[in-house]
Every structure is written in C-alpha cells, then in structure tokens.
Amino acid sequence: AAKSTRGNQYRLYRPNMEEANDKWLLLETKLHQALKKDILELHYQPKIDLKTDKVIGMEALLRWYDPELGQMPPDRFIPFAEECGLINDIGVWVLRKASAQARAWNESYHLNLRVAVNISPIHISTTGFVDMVRDVIAETGINPHLLEIEITEMSMLDYTEDLIDTIKQLRALGITISLDDFGTGYSSLNYLKKFPVDVLKIDRAFVRDIVPEKSGIAMISAMISLAHALNLEVVAEGVEEEAELKVLREQGCEYVQGYYFSKPLSVEDFTKLIDESVSVNKSDF
Ligand code: C2E
Ligand code: MG
Ligand code: MG
Ligand code: MG
C-alpha cells in the first residue's frame, strides 16, 4: 500500500507510519544481531606525523555489511544507534576490539601505535563510563597512553560539569582526548577553552577548502594557531591532495589523515602495510 502511494500528490498528508515503524524495527533488530554475532568490523586509517612522515597511530572506523541492506555507512547507522539505544553497547564493543587489536600489533611488531576510537557524546555521558574504560584497559592490556578517544564537537553543545569531570578522569588514566570534526559544530570559543582536550581534529570541510581558495588557507591557518595557542595538537582530516598537504605543513599542522596517504584499511590490509614498512625500514613504521 505504501508503494502505491509513492509519487501520489497526497503522499505528504498520508505518511505511512506503519511502514516507517517496520523499517525502524527491522534496522534495530539487524543492528542488534550484527553486534551480538560479531558481524560488525573495524577498519583502521593510518595517522601520519608530518615531522617524520611516519605512521604514529590509526583511527578505528566501524563497518557494517548486511547481506540484504548492503554496506551501511556509519554516518547513517551511528545516529540511528544513538536514537534506539544501541550506541552504548556498540561503543563498548568498538573500544574493546580496537584496544585488543592495537595491543596485538604493538606487541608483535614492537611498535607504539596509538589507536583512536570514536565515542558518542551520549555514551561518554553515561554513568560508569570511566569504570568501563578502566575495565577494558585491564582486560585487553592496552597501554592507556596509546589509547585515544575522539568525541565530536557537538557534545559541547550540552556539555556539563559531569562531562568535563569524565574527560579529566580519562586523561588522568593517560588517555588522549581529541575533539573531532572541529569547526562543524556549534561550539563557541569559550567552550573550547573550558573543554580539557589534547587534540583538535580539523574537519575535512576546511581541508577541502584550502585550494585554490585563499580564504580557505586563512581559515586553516587561524584554526591551527588557535589550537597551538591553547596547547593542543592538530590533526587534519580528509587530506586528499598534495597541495593540501603542503599548506598544512607550512602552517605547522602536526598530524594528518586522509586518502592521500591511505583509506581506512581492514585488519588484514593494515597488517600488510605494517609488514611492508617494517621489512623495508627494520622496525621503523
Ligand atoms: P569521523 O570520525 O570524522 O571519521 C572520518 C571519516 O572521514 C571516515 O568516514 C573516514 O573514512 C573518512 N575519510 C578519511 N579520509 C578521507 C578522505 O581523504 N576523503 C574523504 N572523502 N573521506 C575521508 P566513515 O568511516 O564513513 O565514518 C563517518 C563517521 O561515522 C565518522 O566520522 C564518525 O563520526 C562516525 N563513526 C565511524 N565509526 C564510528 C564508531 O566506531 N563509533 C562512533 N560513535 N562513530 C563512528
Ligand atoms: Mg573520528
Ligand atoms: Mg572527523
Ligand atoms: Mg565525522
């Protein structure tokens, strides 16, 4: 019935609530199952230190392939998971998986790669979050100094003293905190001052604007200066072009991520990348 109303000029006045509900339920069930059956996967995107041009760590990015729905983009299913309440379980799963994987790579190759995990502002604001992180650290044996948590700027919108306290506790454990997608949210500079983070991740939207727009360079330059004035390190996201990289270097950006260096890689492909680098450089990555 829903199909036949599509394209019908009265469609707007007869939203098929039942169909919407069914879709929602199906998605929720599927995501729940994927989590329970360990079907979700993490890919890892290298982060490059511009001082040495070496890989210093990686960001874990969630991948969900469903046989019927196909490859589901995280930009779509993460907000859904936040709404239906699955996000906390997903966050714990990601943290555990990424920590165990990073520890395994670091042990077998004698490396000190730092793994970054994206955590939803909803999850980090949950009571017991720090205890959970402490448990995962103990369980996986990851060095907390090699663990990073990325939270989006959005969380500062409804930031509370509790959230600031949580972040302080995480940092006291040795964990690095970075502010993801900087520049796309609604935070004021005042919030940034109050927010005790270590790293600022400049959103790809600003990196993309670098060339050939002169104002784009001014913007990036101002963001990097601001970060440095606040004693924060800077990561630029989504670097695709040599020209972007050149400007970022000139402006003193510390780290970059992007297709120019590498897409997010499966565990197998990331291992290959380490293997190749290690065999060329002898334990240097
Ligand atoms: P994000 O944390 O800002 O991650 C960066 C996104 O940019 C990733 O998309 C990455 O694949 C993509 N990217 C990296 N380099 C380039 C580039 O050079 N060009 C372009 N066009 N894109 C690039 P992805 O993996 O689709 O993830 C999208 C968003 O979904 C993430 O943005 C993050 O907010 C969220 N997300 C992904 N995994 C997780 C997770 O495990 N937990 C949570 N809470 N959110 C996640
Ligand atoms: Mg991120
Ligand atoms: Mg980002
Ligand atoms: Mg993003």
Side-chain angles (χ1 to χ4, degrees):
K3 282 256 160 63
S4 61
T5 59
R6 197 162 287 153
N8 181 312
Q9 55 179 324
Y10 300 114
R11 190 169 50 114
L12 274 179
Y13 305 100
R14 297 183 195 164
N16 195 322
M17 294 303 286
E18 250 172 68
E19 191 195 39
N21 268 339
D22 286 353
K23 270 192 185 152
W24 177 281
L25 261 176
L26 175 73
L27 204 59
E28 186 175 344
T29 307
K30 276 183 175 290
L31 187 53
H32 192 146
Q33 287 296 315
L35 187 62
K36 252 180 43 190
K37 293 183 177 163
D38 230 30
I39 285 166
L40 297 178
E41 235 190 284
L42 287 177
H43 281 196
Y44 296 88
Q45 186 176 40
K47 284 194 192 184
I48 287 88
D49 183 343
L50 288 184
K51 283 194 291 289
T52 57
D53 283 343
K54 290 196 173 124
V55 177
I56 47 107
M58 57 282 182
E59 177 176 6
L61 292 156
L62 200 51
R63 297 292 176 258
W64 176 24
Y65 176 80
D66 181 89
E68 281 161 4
L69 305 170
Q71 192 71 44
M72 298 291 288
D75 273 336
R76 270 178 46 208
F77 74 79
I78 292 291
F80 174 78
E82 285 175 336
E83 240 173 289
C84 73
L86 281 170
I87 195 62
N88 292 10
D89 288 346
I90 289 179
V92 175
W93 184 90
V94 169
L95 189 67
R96 197 178 272 141
K97 196 89 170 175
S99 299
Q101 185 60 65
R103 158 115 207 251
W105 275 324
N106 284 334
E107 290 244 309
S108 12
Y109 293 94
H110 306 288
L111 298 167
N112 287 305
L113 298 174
R114 186 166 81 196
V115 69
V117 172
N118 294 283
I119 294 291
S120 161
I122 293 173
H123 190 192
I124 204 169
S125 306
T126 313
T127 317
F129 183 81
V130 178
D131 288 335
M132 180 278 290
V133 173
R134 223 182 260 120
D135 287 350
V136 170
I137 290 171
E139 188 188 306
T140 60
I142 191 172
N143 174 353
H145 291 98
L146 298 177
L147 180 60
E148 179 174 339
I149 288 180
E150 299 189 2
I151 44 177
T152 52
E153 199 188 0
M154 283 304 193
S155 49
M156 297 209 291
L157 248 190
D158 42 20
Y159 89 107
T160 60
E161 289 303 320
D162 281 353
L163 179 55
I164 291 178
D165 190 54
T166 296
I167 289 174
K168 282 182 180 160
Q169 288 185 53
L170 293 169
R171 291 180 76 199
L173 294 177
I175 296 169
T176 303
I177 306 291
S178 50
L179 193 54
D180 206 349
D181 303 341
F182 181 72
T184 61
Y186 302 93
S187 66
S188 73
L189 295 181
N190 191 38
Y191 282 172
L192 186 59
K193 198 178 67 183
K194 285 187 191 162
F195 227 59
V197 300
D198 304 286
V199 181
L200 204 144
K201 294 194 78 176
I202 296 180
D203 195 75
R204 179 175 123 72
F206 298 95
V207 173
R208 209 172 30 204
D209 269 359
I210 286 181
V211 190
E213 286 274 327
K214 275 279 189 285
S215 64
I217 297 180
M219 189 69 98
I220 281 279
S221 163
M223 288 169 114
I224 294 172
S225 301
L226 173 67
H228 290 167
L230 294 169
N231 274 319
L232 307 178
E233 292 188 321
V234 181
V235 181
E237 311 192 288
V239 177
E240 292 184 356
E241 312 275 336
E242 175 105 51
E244 295 165 354
L245 185 64
K246 185 167 169 285
V247 169
L248 290 163
R249 269 190 210 283
E250 285 166 3
Q251 300 299 325
C253 176
E254 278 90 5
Y255 307 107
V256 289
Q257 263 179 275
Y259 296 171
Y260 179 78
F261 289 99
S262 170
K263 294 203 167 194
L265 303 170
S266 65
V267 168
E268 198 191 353
D269 287 342
F270 197 92
T271 306
K272 269 189 213 150
L273 181 75
I274 303 179
D275 265 333
E276 285 161 13
S277 319
V278 168
S279 65
V280 173
N281 302 314
K282 282 273 178 266
S283 93
D284 241 6
F285 186 11

Tab-separated table of all heavy atoms in Angstrom, residues 42 45 59-63 74-75 78 87 90 94 118-120 150 152 180-181 203-204 237-240 257-260 262 264, ligand 1:
chain	number	residue	atom	x	y	z
A	42	LEU	N	35.893	-3.445	12.269
A	42	LEU	CA	36.597	-2.165	12.352
A	42	LEU	C	37.636	-2.076	11.247
A	42	LEU	O	38.345	-3.046	10.972
A	42	LEU	CB	37.293	-2.014	13.707
A	42	LEU	CG	36.384	-1.748	14.910
A	42	LEU	CD1	37.209	-1.701	16.200
A	42	LEU	CD2	35.607	-0.446	14.734
A	45	GLN	N	42.384	3.616	9.855
A	45	GLN	CA	43.033	4.575	8.959
A	45	GLN	C	44.303	5.121	9.617
A	45	GLN	O	44.243	5.671	10.726
A	45	GLN	CB	42.087	5.733	8.618
A	45	GLN	CG	42.721	6.655	7.569
A	45	GLN	CD	41.798	7.768	7.114
A	45	GLN	OE1	41.075	8.347	7.921
A	45	GLN	NE2	41.833	8.056	5.820
A	59	GLU	N	42.991	5.487	13.328
A	59	GLU	CA	41.627	5.679	13.825
A	59	GLU	C	40.792	4.458	13.462
A	59	GLU	O	40.788	4.033	12.306
A	59	GLU	CB	40.994	6.935	13.213
A	59	GLU	CG	39.534	7.119	13.646
A	59	GLU	CD	38.893	8.415	13.129
A	59	GLU	OE1	39.538	9.133	12.325
A	59	GLU	OE2	37.748	8.685	13.531
A	60	ALA	N	40.104	3.918	14.449
A	60	ALA	CA	39.210	2.781	14.211
A	60	ALA	C	37.871	3.299	13.698
A	60	ALA	O	37.275	4.185	14.303
A	60	ALA	CB	39.010	1.998	15.505
A	61	LEU	N	37.430	2.760	12.563
A	61	LEU	CA	36.166	3.201	11.970
A	61	LEU	C	35.265	1.997	11.726
A	61	LEU	O	35.690	0.986	11.150
A	61	LEU	CB	36.436	3.962	10.668
A	61	LEU	CG	37.142	5.308	10.894
A	61	LEU	CD1	37.901	5.750	9.661
A	61	LEU	CD2	36.137	6.376	11.329
A	62	LEU	N	34.051	2.113	12.181
A	62	LEU	CA	33.122	0.995	12.182
A	62	LEU	C	32.572	0.703	10.794
A	62	LEU	O	32.231	1.627	10.043
A	62	LEU	CB	31.981	1.331	13.145
A	62	LEU	CG	31.134	0.180	13.683
A	62	LEU	CD1	31.980	-0.933	14.274
A	62	LEU	CD2	30.165	0.722	14.738
A	63	ARG	N	32.482	-0.583	10.459
A	63	ARG	CA	31.913	-1.022	9.195
A	63	ARG	C	30.834	-2.056	9.458
A	63	ARG	O	31.036	-2.975	10.237
A	63	ARG	CB	33.003	-1.632	8.301
A	63	ARG	CG	34.101	-0.636	7.895
A	63	ARG	CD	33.553	0.426	6.955
A	63	ARG	NE	34.520	1.456	6.602
A	63	ARG	CZ	34.542	2.673	7.134
A	63	ARG	NH1	33.690	2.998	8.090
A	63	ARG	NH2	35.414	3.563	6.734
A	74	PRO	N	28.431	4.438	8.406
A	74	PRO	CA	28.330	4.800	9.825
A	74	PRO	C	27.655	6.155	10.049
A	74	PRO	O	27.001	6.346	11.072
A	74	PRO	CB	29.779	4.823	10.315
A	74	PRO	CG	30.635	4.764	9.114
A	74	PRO	CD	29.830	4.198	8.005
A	75	ASP	N	27.818	7.065	9.103
A	75	ASP	CA	27.145	8.357	9.230
A	75	ASP	C	25.633	8.203	9.347
A	75	ASP	O	24.948	9.098	9.827
A	75	ASP	CB	27.438	9.241	8.002
A	75	ASP	CG	28.724	10.026	8.200
A	75	ASP	OD1	29.100	10.245	9.358
A	75	ASP	OD2	29.333	10.406	7.189
A	78	ILE	N	25.105	5.171	12.908
A	78	ILE	CA	25.500	5.644	14.248
A	78	ILE	C	24.408	6.558	14.847
A	78	ILE	O	23.981	6.337	15.984
A	78	ILE	CB	26.883	6.332	14.225
A	78	ILE	CG1	27.996	5.313	13.939
A	78	ILE	CG2	27.161	7.081	15.535
A	78	ILE	CD1	28.266	4.297	15.037
A	87	ILE	N	23.782	2.465	21.058
A	87	ILE	CA	25.094	3.113	20.912
A	87	ILE	C	26.074	2.770	22.029
A	87	ILE	O	27.284	2.644	21.778
A	87	ILE	CB	24.950	4.658	20.757
A	87	ILE	CG1	26.263	5.264	20.228
A	87	ILE	CG2	24.546	5.328	22.068
A	87	ILE	CD1	26.699	4.802	18.878
A	90	ILE	N	27.526	-0.631	21.350
A	90	ILE	CA	28.425	-0.514	20.200
A	90	ILE	C	29.755	0.114	20.644
A	90	ILE	O	30.827	-0.365	20.301
A	90	ILE	CB	27.768	0.320	19.069
A	90	ILE	CG1	26.639	-0.500	18.424
A	90	ILE	CG2	28.794	0.743	18.021
A	90	ILE	CD1	25.901	0.217	17.313
A	94	VAL	N	33.436	-1.515	20.264
A	94	VAL	CA	34.479	-0.859	19.466
A	94	VAL	C	35.734	-0.629	20.319
A	94	VAL	O	36.852	-0.919	19.890
A	94	VAL	CB	33.972	0.490	18.878
A	94	VAL	CG1	35.116	1.298	18.280
A	94	VAL	CG2	32.895	0.248	17.825
A	118	ASN	N	36.190	6.374	18.144
A	118	ASN	CA	35.114	7.374	18.181
A	118	ASN	C	34.088	6.976	19.225
A	118	ASN	O	33.575	5.855	19.202
A	118	ASN	CB	34.424	7.475	16.819
A	118	ASN	CG	35.345	8.030	15.760
A	118	ASN	OD1	35.591	9.239	15.705
A	118	ASN	ND2	35.893	7.150	14.928
A	119	ILE	N	33.797	7.873	20.130
A	119	ILE	CA	32.796	7.586	21.163
A	119	ILE	C	31.694	8.641	21.087
A	119	ILE	O	31.959	9.841	21.018
A	119	ILE	CB	33.434	7.556	22.569
A	119	ILE	CG1	34.422	6.379	22.712
A	119	ILE	CG2	32.371	7.502	23.668
A	119	ILE	CD1	33.794	4.988	22.734
A	120	SER	N	30.469	8.157	21.100
A	120	SER	CA	29.317	9.058	21.036
A	120	SER	C	29.220	9.903	22.312
A	120	SER	O	29.427	9.403	23.414
A	120	SER	CB	28.037	8.240	20.873
A	120	SER	OG	26.920	9.011	21.231
A	150	GLU	N	37.995	9.947	20.555
A	150	GLU	CA	37.545	11.100	19.767
A	150	GLU	C	36.078	11.372	20.076
A	150	GLU	O	35.247	10.471	19.991
A	150	GLU	CB	37.679	10.815	18.260
A	150	GLU	CG	39.100	10.537	17.822
A	150	GLU	CD	39.262	10.480	16.302
A	150	GLU	OE1	38.273	10.695	15.574
A	150	GLU	OE2	40.390	10.192	15.843
A	152	THR	N	32.872	14.189	19.236
A	152	THR	CA	32.533	15.268	18.304
A	152	THR	C	32.237	16.554	19.057
A	152	THR	O	31.848	16.551	20.218
A	152	THR	CB	31.294	14.906	17.464
A	152	THR	OG1	30.269	14.517	18.352
A	152	THR	CG2	31.600	13.789	16.503
A	180	ASP	N	36.702	15.896	17.705
A	180	ASP	CA	36.527	15.508	16.303
A	180	ASP	C	35.690	16.543	15.541
A	180	ASP	O	34.904	17.265	16.145
A	180	ASP	CB	35.821	14.150	16.279
A	180	ASP	CG	36.126	13.347	15.030
A	180	ASP	OD1	36.712	13.899	14.083
A	180	ASP	OD2	35.769	12.152	15.013
A	181	ASP	N	35.867	16.591	14.239
A	181	ASP	CA	35.039	17.427	13.347
A	181	ASP	C	35.040	18.894	13.763
A	181	ASP	O	34.019	19.584	13.629
A	181	ASP	CB	33.577	16.926	13.328
A	181	ASP	CG	33.479	15.470	12.911
A	181	ASP	OD1	34.439	14.971	12.312
A	181	ASP	OD2	32.440	14.846	13.172
A	203	ASP	N	37.998	19.402	10.675
A	203	ASP	CA	37.121	18.671	9.778
A	203	ASP	C	37.554	18.816	8.320
A	203	ASP	O	38.087	19.842	7.903
A	203	ASP	CB	35.680	19.152	9.928
A	203	ASP	CG	34.696	18.180	9.298
A	203	ASP	OD1	34.451	17.125	9.905
A	203	ASP	OD2	34.213	18.467	8.180
A	204	ARG	N	37.269	17.773	7.570
A	204	ARG	CA	37.604	17.716	6.149
A	204	ARG	C	37.026	18.881	5.349
A	204	ARG	O	37.592	19.312	4.353
A	204	ARG	CB	37.078	16.389	5.602
A	204	ARG	CG	37.324	16.174	4.143
A	204	ARG	CD	36.888	14.787	3.733
A	204	ARG	NE	35.895	14.803	2.654
A	204	ARG	CZ	36.170	15.114	1.414
A	204	ARG	NH1	37.384	15.469	1.055
A	204	ARG	NH2	35.218	15.098	0.494
A	237	GLU	N	41.875	16.201	8.968
A	237	GLU	CA	41.181	15.029	8.434
A	237	GLU	C	40.943	15.169	6.942
A	237	GLU	O	40.762	16.274	6.439
A	237	GLU	CB	39.768	14.887	9.010
A	237	GLU	CG	39.590	14.972	10.472
A	237	GLU	CD	38.184	14.523	10.864
A	237	GLU	OE1	37.197	15.235	10.612
A	237	GLU	OE2	38.101	13.445	11.429
A	238	GLY	N	40.893	14.041	6.261
A	238	GLY	CA	40.452	14.027	4.866
A	238	GLY	C	41.400	14.697	3.890
A	238	GLY	O	40.970	15.340	2.934
A	239	VAL	N	42.709	14.546	4.141
A	239	VAL	CA	43.691	15.106	3.210
A	239	VAL	C	43.760	14.213	1.972
A	239	VAL	O	44.045	13.020	2.078
A	239	VAL	CB	45.085	15.202	3.874
A	239	VAL	CG1	46.115	15.725	2.886
A	239	VAL	CG2	45.008	16.085	5.106
A	240	GLU	N	43.456	14.790	0.836
A	240	GLU	CA	43.428	14.014	-0.403
A	240	GLU	C	44.474	14.476	-1.415
A	240	GLU	O	44.879	13.707	-2.285
A	240	GLU	CB	42.032	14.096	-1.049
A	240	GLU	CG	40.952	13.393	-0.242
A	240	GLU	CD	39.596	13.403	-0.929
A	240	GLU	OE1	39.475	14.033	-2.001
A	240	GLU	OE2	38.659	12.788	-0.381
A	257	GLN	N	45.474	12.762	8.310
A	257	GLN	CA	44.802	11.524	7.938
A	257	GLN	C	44.138	11.799	6.607
A	257	GLN	O	43.660	12.919	6.404
A	257	GLN	CB	43.664	11.250	8.913
A	257	GLN	CG	43.931	10.319	10.042
A	257	GLN	CD	42.695	10.206	10.910
A	257	GLN	OE1	42.496	11.039	11.783
A	257	GLN	NE2	41.867	9.201	10.679
A	258	GLY	N	44.065	10.829	5.747
A	258	GLY	CA	43.327	11.058	4.511
A	258	GLY	C	43.705	10.108	3.406
A	258	GLY	O	44.702	9.384	3.508
A	259	TYR	N	42.879	10.117	2.359
A	259	TYR	CA	43.082	9.197	1.238
A	259	TYR	C	44.426	9.432	0.554
A	259	TYR	O	44.945	8.544	-0.105
A	259	TYR	CB	41.948	9.345	0.209
A	259	TYR	CG	40.577	8.965	0.717
A	259	TYR	CD1	39.438	9.236	-0.041
A	259	TYR	CD2	40.411	8.317	1.944
A	259	TYR	CE1	38.172	8.891	0.408
A	259	TYR	CE2	39.145	7.970	2.399
A	259	TYR	CZ	38.033	8.264	1.629
A	259	TYR	OH	36.780	7.918	2.070
A	260	TYR	N	44.986	10.646	0.687
A	260	TYR	CA	46.296	10.911	0.082
A	260	TYR	C	47.308	9.870	0.581
A	260	TYR	O	48.133	9.386	-0.192
A	260	TYR	CB	46.777	12.324	0.431
A	260	TYR	CG	48.134	12.649	-0.151
A	260	TYR	CD1	48.275	12.983	-1.496
A	260	TYR	CD2	49.282	12.596	0.644
A	260	TYR	CE1	49.519	13.261	-2.034
A	260	TYR	CE2	50.533	12.878	0.114
A	260	TYR	CZ	50.647	13.199	-1.222
A	260	TYR	OH	51.880	13.466	-1.752
A	262	SER	N	46.282	7.051	2.894
A	262	SER	CA	45.612	5.761	2.911
A	262	SER	C	44.139	5.888	3.289
A	262	SER	O	43.770	6.716	4.107
A	262	SER	CB	46.305	4.832	3.919
A	262	SER	OG	45.547	3.660	4.120
A	264	PRO	N	40.823	4.028	5.120
A	264	PRO	CA	40.736	3.092	6.247
A	264	PRO	C	40.932	1.667	5.715
A	264	PRO	O	40.386	1.324	4.677
A	264	PRO	CB	39.309	3.298	6.761
A	264	PRO	CG	38.915	4.671	6.297
A	264	PRO	CD	39.596	4.840	4.980
B	1	C2E	P1	34.942	10.782	11.617
B	1	C2E	O1	35.243	10.240	12.962
B	1	C2E	O2	35.153	12.239	11.421
B	1	C2E	O3	35.812	9.917	10.610
B	1	C2E	C1	36.360	10.414	9.419
B	1	C2E	C2	35.570	9.951	8.216
B	1	C2E	O4	36.170	10.501	7.026
B	1	C2E	C3	35.557	8.450	7.995
B	1	C2E	O5	34.310	8.132	7.387
B	1	C2E	C4	36.701	8.247	7.002
B	1	C2E	O6	36.587	7.053	6.266
B	1	C2E	C5	36.524	9.458	6.127
B	1	C2E	N1	37.758	9.864	5.451
B	1	C2E	C6	39.033	9.725	5.868
B	1	C2E	N2	39.897	10.256	4.983
B	1	C2E	C7	39.161	10.753	3.974
B	1	C2E	C8	39.489	11.439	2.736
B	1	C2E	O7	40.638	11.713	2.412
B	1	C2E	N3	38.432	11.813	1.961
B	1	C2E	C9	37.137	11.536	2.296
B	1	C2E	N4	36.178	11.902	1.461
B	1	C2E	N5	36.803	10.895	3.452
B	1	C2E	C10	37.797	10.513	4.266
B	1	C2E	P2	33.437	6.905	7.872
B	1	C2E	O8	34.301	5.747	8.214
B	1	C2E	O9	32.369	6.711	6.866
B	1	C2E	O10	32.807	7.429	9.230
B	1	C2E	C11	31.935	8.508	9.258
B	1	C2E	C12	31.635	8.951	10.656
B	1	C2E	O11	30.900	7.953	11.363
B	1	C2E	C13	32.878	9.204	11.496
B	1	C2E	O12	33.412	10.480	11.211
B	1	C2E	C14	32.295	9.098	12.888
B	1	C2E	O13	31.668	10.291	13.263
B	1	C2E	C15	31.263	8.010	12.711
B	1	C2E	N6	31.836	6.732	13.152
B	1	C2E	C16	32.581	5.838	12.468
B	1	C2E	N7	32.927	4.791	13.237
B	1	C2E	C17	32.400	5.042	14.462
B	1	C2E	C18	32.409	4.344	15.717
B	1	C2E	O14	33.020	3.261	15.890
B	1	C2E	N8	31.713	4.920	16.759
B	1	C2E	C19	31.069	6.118	16.623
B	1	C2E	N9	30.422	6.614	17.695
B	1	C2E	N10	31.060	6.804	15.475
B	1	C2E	C20	31.717	6.277	14.405
